[in-house]
Amino acid sequence: MIANNGNTEGLFRAGFMQSGSPIPVAGLENGQKYYDALVAQTGCTGASDTLQCLREVPYDKLKAAQDASPGIFAYQYPRFQRLNGLMEHLNSTTSELETYIKTVFLPGLNVSQDVIQQIETLYPQDITQGSPFDTGIFNAITPQFKRIAALMGDSVFQAPRRFFLQHRASKQPTWAFCQYRLVLFREFNQNLGLSEQTFQSSADPWIGGGMADYLIRFAVNLNPNSASGLQWPQYNLDKPQLLTFLDGLIPVTITPDTYRSDAMNALTNLTLAHPL
């Protein structure tokens, strides 16, 4: 959708996405160390053509090497490698959040104090404003935990999603949705170590809660709506709206996609200036 100036060359005609969007990344040379590690782990270091060697590596061997490579949420990843240690010491001071931003979130980058203070203001210490959002005082594993969760979630998922929509909605028909159902129940089960299947039910939008119908219509007609029922509005830059799945008496509604706009705009500008 964004590569090759949006020309898919017939690879697909539409996309139905969830859980994030493209994130700002730095030059390809920043990934050289991960390629070198993959080459080493597959035994291709001495090959005259390492790429061709990788193409010929048995599947099981290549998969094992890929699984050992750090993804964006792995502890080896620069922005997360000291997360576990820091979390033990994140008490109630903003100075510790500054340390986290400088050493984990944006390590080795010359980010001004003004920018850091702006982020601290937009993502306050108040646990009721942290992530998971709208869960009140729950999930506050440490006093700064929900604050950092909000910062990381918005920087990797929410802000890129909105930035992507803002740049594509004027070029092609686009719809966006948000899933708020079972938030407290999910968090409770996950804190107990229970699996995703534990709380799947007819309330889940993907099982019996309404999303399947929209998805089927979109796949067939490139339009998620039918002649009846709640109309899912196209994403409009002047009035951005989301199809939103909720608990309670009103299970599906339309909500504005304007929440935390100042915070997400600041994170978008920050990550564009200092990409992953």
Side-chain angles (χ1 to χ4, degrees):
M1 290 182 175
I2 59 176
N4 198 26
N5 294 319
N7 182 5
T8 67
E9 298 184 0
L11 182 62
F12 58 90
R13 65 171 188 156
F16 197 98
M17 302 178 294
Q18 60 175 326
S19 192
S21 293
I23 58 177
V25 294
L28 291 177
E29 62 275 9
N30 287 10
Q32 185 64 47
K33 60 182 178 181
Y34 301 116
Y35 177 82
D36 293 342
L38 188 64
V39 167
Q41 290 165 350
T42 51
C44 288
T45 300
S48 58
D49 186 337
T50 56
L51 180 59
Q52 185 59 35
C53 180
L54 288 174
R55 289 169 174 158
E56 298 172 358
V57 167
Y59 170 78
D60 290 342
K61 189 174 184 179
L62 180 61
K63 184 177 185 302
Q66 289 176 326
D67 290 343
S69 302
I72 189 171
F73 291 114
Y75 74 91
Q76 304 101 320
Y77 194 77
R79 294 190 182 181
F80 289 83
Q81 62 184 184
R82 287 179 292 278
L83 176 60
N84 292 335
L86 272 174
M87 292 302 265
E88 297 175 0
H89 304 289
L90 288 177
N91 297 315
S92 59
T93 64
T94 295
S95 63
E96 289 172 315
L97 179 64
E98 291 184 10
T99 299
Y100 176 84
I101 293 174
K102 292 177 181 178
T103 61
V104 179
F105 185 56
L106 298 171
L109 300 178
N110 186 24
V111 180
S112 71
Q113 188 64 25
D114 289 342
V115 171
I116 292 177
Q117 289 177 347
Q118 180 190 29
I119 297 300
E120 292 169 351
T121 299
L122 293 170
Y123 290 89
Q125 185 173 318
D126 182 359
I127 61 174
T128 65
Q129 297 186 48
S131 177
F133 297 101
D134 301 320
T135 57
I137 62 173
F138 294 103
N139 306 296
I141 298 175
T142 71
Q144 299 280 9
F145 179 84
K146 292 182 72 175
R147 188 182 195 182
I148 291 178
L151 173 64
M152 297 307 301
D154 278 358
S155 65
V156 176
F157 290 103
Q158 292 281 9
R161 173 196 65 81
R162 188 173 287 167
F163 181 76
F164 176 73
L165 287 167
Q166 289 169 345
H167 284 266
R168 295 306 308 173
S170 63
K171 297 178 174 63
Q172 64 192 89
T174 307
W175 294 263
F177 70 96
C178 186
Q179 148 70 325
Y180 277 121
R181 287 187 191 167
L182 305 173
V183 172
L184 283 174
F185 192 38
R186 287 172 186 265
E187 295 304 323
F188 176 74
N189 278 348
Q190 287 171 349
N191 286 338
L192 291 179
L194 302 179
S195 68
E196 183 84 9
Q197 286 71 28
T198 305
F199 50 77
Q200 285 185 341
S201 69
S202 61
D204 192 309
W206 298 104
I207 297 177
M211 177 56 85
D213 292 338
Y214 287 107
L215 174 54
I216 292 170
R217 289 192 292 263
F218 179 75
V220 175
N221 305 317
L222 297 181
N223 185 333
N225 294 302
S226 64
S228 61
L230 180 64
Q231 296 298 296
W232 185 353
Q234 280 194 37
Y235 201 84
N236 185 305
L237 299 183
D238 295 326
K239 189 180 180 181
Q241 294 179 305
L242 303 168
L243 179 72
T244 303
F245 296 90
L246 301 168
D247 293 316
L249 296 177
I250 303 176
V252 186
T253 189
I254 305 300
T255 60
D257 187 19
T258 54
Y259 55 88
R260 301 194 302 282
S261 58
D262 290 342
M264 289 193 211
N265 288 339
L267 281 181
T268 295
N269 292 333
L270 178 62
T271 54
L272 286 174
H274 304 284
L276 299 174

